[in-house]
């Protein structure tokens, strides 16, 4: 056990000898001093793990000593002890970044609890987290052998995400490898589940009762019912491209300062889990083959030049008209660059005249592409934990954060969601296609595709999956788990470049299980 060194400053330090003896028996080394000046001098000369500081000492008061100590040792934990319960003293101490605040008289166990809360927290959290995950490990593994519906898989994914974030905060992350293996096993079974049920979910006439909500149903079922010409405040629908569930859980604590999370829902992204297919389905309210059929001028095949996401505003307008919502005043804005986000914040007052404001932010998608193409960004975000950290850092310094605070100030309702997630790809998968085969690493569309049928999900007849065909013999092949497609030509270079990058388009929990968050402002 590590030996901690504690400095205790109190003008009645002799009366605290029983407390000091108690701590020393527990293995702590305590240095007593009886005034603030001496406490500051000791901090100049020595390193301490923790200081107990009496607030009401003659000469240099506890608060004055605290200020000088924080100048010398900004990160040194300080516990303020006082007889006074005056609010302004508490506020001054908290404002000076104390670690704890105790009211006299204090007993030895109070002191011990404060020490453990500050110095032993990481060790205790690590021990408790590891033990709790070990107990839950068996329950999660047993669930794989059960007959799960989509909601059952959502619960498994949420549990795995919870433990991933908890283990991330432990000291040595000793259970990280075990969790990664269990998550990999979960994705193997999830891919089998999708292969068995996905096509049935697409049946428009008689879908199964336990079918999840899919991308093309999202606005009609969960967003548009909230709109009316009589609503007092606008509804902001914000879609952050590529936002995974774990990234949402990192952002959630930041948002709860301004919003209450009224409901956290989950929907299922359609295949392919790409911006081009999933997001167009959201705004058109149609599956991809129907979009290609009804709006041929607005759909670009994979082997044609031009982008697939140039007509989202039109699709939104068409869907609202089809549902009789054309009188609802709405706006659509896509934010591709930081400056666009800043300009929209400056024009925020104009958005308040609308009943619905749809805002699409592309940063997380750009981050995943930048991580693939730029060595520096890959080093900056080498794994999921770092990727989440970069996402959080962007969020706190983005125009989106400014926009959300303005929405809260106005008391408007807010929905945050995404179109699909991503997965960190680890294993290459050989596939051969002709020159017209698309370039996405997680799904391939083409004719005469040559591949091993193991570990892929195949849509031999795209019509059954409501996917457009380039020609009569087109097939879609989706990578599952953490595989990515690689061509035999220049194979080693290709694999080295794309291994350990975040990709989307295939079948995994990370790509298909999508957060849909309803928030109401606290104001």
């Amino acid at each position: 056990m590590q030996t901690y060194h504690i400095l205790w400053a109190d003008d009645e330090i002799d009366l605290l000898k029983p407390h000091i003896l108690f701590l020393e028996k527990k293995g702590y080394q305590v240095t007593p001093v009886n005034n603030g000046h001496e406490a500051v001098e000791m901090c100049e000369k020595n390193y301490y793990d923790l200081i107990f500081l009496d607030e009401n000492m003659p000469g240099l008061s506890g608060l004055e000593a605290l200020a000088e100590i924080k100048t010398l040792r900004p990160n040194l934990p300080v516990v303020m002890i006082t007889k006074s319960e005056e609010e302004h003293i508490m506020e001054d101490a908290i404002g000076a970044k104390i670690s704890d605040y105790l009211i006299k008289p204090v007993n030895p166990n109070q002191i011990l609890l404060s020490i453990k809360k500050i110095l032993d927290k990481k060790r205790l959290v690590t021990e408790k987290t590891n033990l709790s995950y070990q107990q839950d490990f068996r329950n999660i593994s047993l669930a794989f052998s059960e007959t799960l519906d989509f909601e059952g898989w959502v619960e498994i994914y949420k549990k795995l995400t919870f433990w991933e974030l908890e283990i991330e905060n432990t000291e040595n992350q000793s259970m990280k490898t075990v969790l990664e293996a269990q998550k990999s096993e979960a994705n193997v079974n999830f891919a089998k589940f999708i292969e068995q049920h996905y096509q049935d979910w697409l049946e428009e006439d008689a879908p199964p009762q336990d079918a999840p909500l899919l991308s093309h149903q999202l606005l009609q079922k969960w967003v548009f019912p909230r709109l009316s010409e009589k609503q007092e405040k606008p509804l902001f629908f914000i879609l952050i491209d590529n936002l995974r569930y774990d990234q949402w859980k990192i952002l959630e604590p930041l948002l709860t300062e301004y919003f209450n999370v009224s409901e956290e829902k989950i929907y299922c992204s359609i295949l392919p889990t790409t911006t081009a297919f999933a997001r167009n389905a959201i705004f058109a309210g149609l599956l991809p083959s129907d979009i290609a059929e009804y709006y041929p001028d607005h759909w670009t095949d994979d082997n044609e030049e031009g982008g697939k996401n140039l007509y989202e505003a039109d699709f939104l307008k068409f869907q609202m008209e089809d549902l009789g919502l054309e009188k609802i005043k709405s706006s659509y804005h896509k934010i591709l660059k930081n400056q666009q986000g800043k300009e929209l914040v400056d024009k925020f007052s104009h958005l308040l005249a609308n009943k619905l404001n749809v805002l699409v932010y592309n940063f997380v998608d750009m981050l995943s592409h930048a991580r693939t193409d730029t060595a520096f960004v890959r080093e900056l975000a080498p794994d999921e934990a770092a990727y989440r950290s970069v996402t959080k850092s962007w969020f706190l310094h983005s125009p989106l954060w400014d926009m959300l605070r303005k929405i809260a100030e106005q008391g408007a309702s807010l929905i945050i969601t995404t179109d699909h997630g991503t997965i960190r790809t680890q294993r290459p998968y050989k596939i051969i296609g002709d020159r017209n085969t698309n370039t996405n690493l997680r799904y391939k569309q083409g004719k005469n595709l040559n591949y091993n049928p193991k570990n892929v999900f195949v849509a031999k007849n795209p019509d059954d999956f409501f996917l457009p065909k380039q020609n009569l013999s087109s097939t879609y092949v989706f990578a599952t788990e953490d595989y990515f497609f690689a061509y035999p030509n220049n194979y080693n270079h290709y694999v080295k470049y794309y291994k350990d990058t975040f990709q989307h388009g295939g079948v995994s929990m990370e790509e298909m299980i999508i957060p849909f968050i309803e928030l109401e402002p606290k104001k």
Side-chain angles (χ1 to χ4, degrees):
M1 179 179 174
Q2 180 180 350
T3 300
Y4 290 111
H5 299 265
I6 298 170
L7 178 67
W8 196 331
D10 193 303
D11 62 319
E12 297 176 328
I13 196 70
D14 291 340
L15 300 178
L16 297 170
K17 281 185 178 178
H19 293 61
I20 294 172
L21 288 172
F22 173 79
L23 294 180
E24 288 177 341
K25 286 181 180 179
K26 293 290 183 180
Y28 299 101
Q29 290 188 6
V30 182
T31 301
V33 295
N34 58 19
N35 62 75
H37 287 291
E38 195 172 354
V40 174
E41 288 175 5
M42 294 297 285
C43 284
E44 286 179 328
K45 298 175 183 176
N46 306 300
Y47 174 81
Y48 296 98
D49 297 292
L50 176 66
I51 296 180
F52 286 110
L53 196 60
D54 181 29
E55 183 274 323
N56 188 23
M57 292 185 290
L60 194 68
S61 72
L63 287 173
E64 291 168 338
L66 174 63
E68 293 193 27
I69 289 169
K70 282 294 182 181
T71 301
L72 292 168
R73 311 276 189 185
N75 299 315
L76 177 58
V78 177
V79 176
M80 184 67 73
I81 303 177
T82 178
K83 292 178 181 177
S84 174
E85 296 187 33
E86 293 184 41
E87 189 175 354
H88 76 91
I89 294 176
M90 295 182 190
E91 290 180 348
D92 286 345
I94 293 169
K97 300 180 181 178
I98 60 164
S99 299
D100 206 351
Y101 191 93
L102 303 177
I103 305 294
K104 287 184 176 181
V106 292
N107 63 53
N109 282 324
Q110 278 181 288
I111 296 294
L112 183 62
L113 178 61
S114 185
I115 292 171
K116 286 187 175 294
K117 189 164 60 176
I118 297 166
L119 298 182
D120 289 339
K121 181 178 178 181
K122 280 192 175 182
R123 177 181 63 81
L124 295 171
V125 167
T126 296
E127 291 173 359
K128 178 64 177 176
T129 299
N130 288 348
L131 179 61
S132 298
Y133 172 59
Q134 288 167 15
Q135 292 171 342
D136 208 16
F137 175 89
R138 178 175 169 79
N139 296 330
I140 296 171
S141 293
L142 286 174
F144 297 157
S145 60
E146 297 175 1
T147 303
L148 297 170
D149 58 9
F150 183 76
E151 287 302 317
W153 277 107
V154 167
E155 290 309 307
I156 283 179
Y157 181 48
K158 284 185 173 182
K159 278 187 177 182
L160 290 169
T161 299
F162 171 79
W163 287 120
E164 186 174 16
L165 298 180
E166 290 292 299
I167 290 170
E168 182 181 313
N169 291 322
T170 59
E171 281 187 302
N172 52 24
Q173 298 189 25
S174 59
M175 297 302 294
K176 182 179 179 181
T177 303
V178 177
L179 175 68
E180 287 175 348
Q182 188 170 50
K183 198 172 180 182
S184 178
E185 183 186 359
N187 261 324
V188 171
N189 289 279
F190 180 74
K192 294 176 183 176
F193 169 75
I194 292 298
E195 187 172 0
Q196 292 170 2
H197 298 284
Y198 180 74
Q199 185 178 337
D200 294 337
W201 296 343
L202 301 175
E203 291 295 331
E204 296 179 310
D205 296 331
Q209 287 188 341
D210 60 357
L213 192 81
L214 298 170
S215 306
H216 65 295
Q217 303 163 328
L218 188 66
L219 293 181
Q220 182 179 353
K221 295 290 182 67
W222 285 356
V223 179
F224 291 155
R226 300 183 58 164
L227 303 177
S228 74
E229 293 185 65
K230 296 180 180 179
Q231 70 186 80
E232 295 182 3
K233 295 285 186 179
L235 171 63
F236 285 81
F237 177 85
I238 294 181
L239 189 151
I240 305 173
D241 190 28
N242 263 21
L243 187 75
R244 303 188 335 175
Y245 179 74
D246 61 329
Q247 290 171 307
W248 153 246
K249 298 310 287 185
I250 291 296
L251 301 182
E252 183 180 12
L254 305 174
L255 282 164
T256 51
E257 182 178 349
Y258 299 94
F259 294 91
N260 292 315
V261 177
S262 54
E263 192 161 8
E264 180 184 280
K265 298 179 180 178
I266 295 290
Y267 80 94
C268 182
S269 172
I270 64 163
L271 295 173
T273 49
T274 64
T275 304
F277 285 82
R279 193 195 294 170
N280 275 334
I282 289 173
F283 290 119
L286 298 168
L287 287 164
S289 61
D290 292 332
I291 300 174
E293 179 183 352
Y294 298 142
Y295 306 109
D297 295 337
H298 290 55
W299 183 265
T300 306
D301 283 333
D302 281 341
N303 61 348
E304 294 177 342
E305 293 185 3
K308 276 193 175 72
N309 296 97
L310 301 178
Y311 304 105
E312 293 163 6
D314 292 339
F315 287 147
L316 176 63
K317 178 183 176 184
F318 298 155
Q319 184 177 180
M320 293 183 72
E321 288 174 351
D322 288 343
L323 296 172
L325 299 173
E326 63 273 7
K327 292 183 180 180
I328 300 293
K329 191 174 180 182
S330 63
S331 72
Y332 174 91
H333 298 272
K334 184 188 293 186
I335 311 303
L336 299 173
K337 297 180 180 179
N338 210 48
Q339 187 58 36
Q340 289 176 306
K342 291 179 179 178
E343 290 172 0
L344 188 61
V345 171
D346 292 339
K347 298 175 182 177
F348 178 77
S349 59
H350 299 169
L351 302 178
L352 297 177
N354 303 315
K355 301 298 183 185
L356 171 67
N357 292 295
V358 175
L359 312 179
V360 175
Y361 287 82
N362 258 41
F363 174 81
V364 179
D365 181 56
M366 289 189 287
L367 173 62
S368 66
H369 289 298
R371 189 186 176 281
T372 300
D373 298 331
T374 309
F376 171 74
V377 179
R378 189 180 293 200
E379 290 294 322
L380 194 65
D383 56 21
E384 281 85 350
Y387 191 53
R388 287 188 289 267
S389 179
V390 172
T391 304
K392 180 179 178 180
S393 179
W394 158 75
F395 181 78
L396 283 171
H397 299 91
S398 71
L400 172 56
W401 184 226
D402 297 330
M403 174 65 71
L404 293 174
R405 285 181 289 186
K406 283 186 173 290
I407 292 170
E409 288 171 6
Q410 291 298 321
S413 296
L414 171 65
I415 290 171
I416 293 179
T417 190
T418 187
D419 43 6
H420 57 79
T422 62
I423 187 167
R424 184 156 64 106
T425 52
Q426 299 288 323
R427 293 177 286 178
Y429 196 101
K430 287 185 180 180
I431 192 167
I432 299 173
D434 61 27
R435 62 182 353 179
N436 292 323
T437 304
N438 64 300
T439 59
N440 186 283
L441 300 181
R442 290 283 288 168
Y443 86 94
K444 295 296 179 184
Q445 176 195 178
K447 61 180 180 179
N448 302 321
L449 295 175
N450 192 339
Y451 55 89
N452 184 336
K454 187 179 179 182
N455 302 117
V456 291
F457 175 39
V458 183
K460 289 185 178 179
N461 183 6
D463 291 335
D464 293 339
F465 295 86
F466 292 85
L467 294 169
K469 297 187 292 187
Q470 293 178 8
N471 53 64
L472 290 176
S473 58
S474 282
T475 298
Y476 283 77
V477 182
F478 302 98
T480 63
E481 306 165 47
D482 59 359
Y483 288 99
F484 66 96
F485 290 124
Y487 295 118
N489 297 338
N490 207 12
Y491 180 79
N492 291 333
H493 171 77
Y494 195 83
V495 168
K496 184 178 179 181
Y497 188 78
Y498 286 107
K499 184 183 177 184
D500 200 35
T501 63
F502 287 91
Q503 303 293 336
H504 52 83
V507 178
S508 68
M509 297 182 298
E510 292 89 335
E511 292 164 286
M512 297 187 74
I513 297 178
I514 308 301
F516 180 95
I517 316 301
E518 299 180 21
L519 305 105
E520 293 296 332
K522 288 187 173 180
K523 183 176 178 181

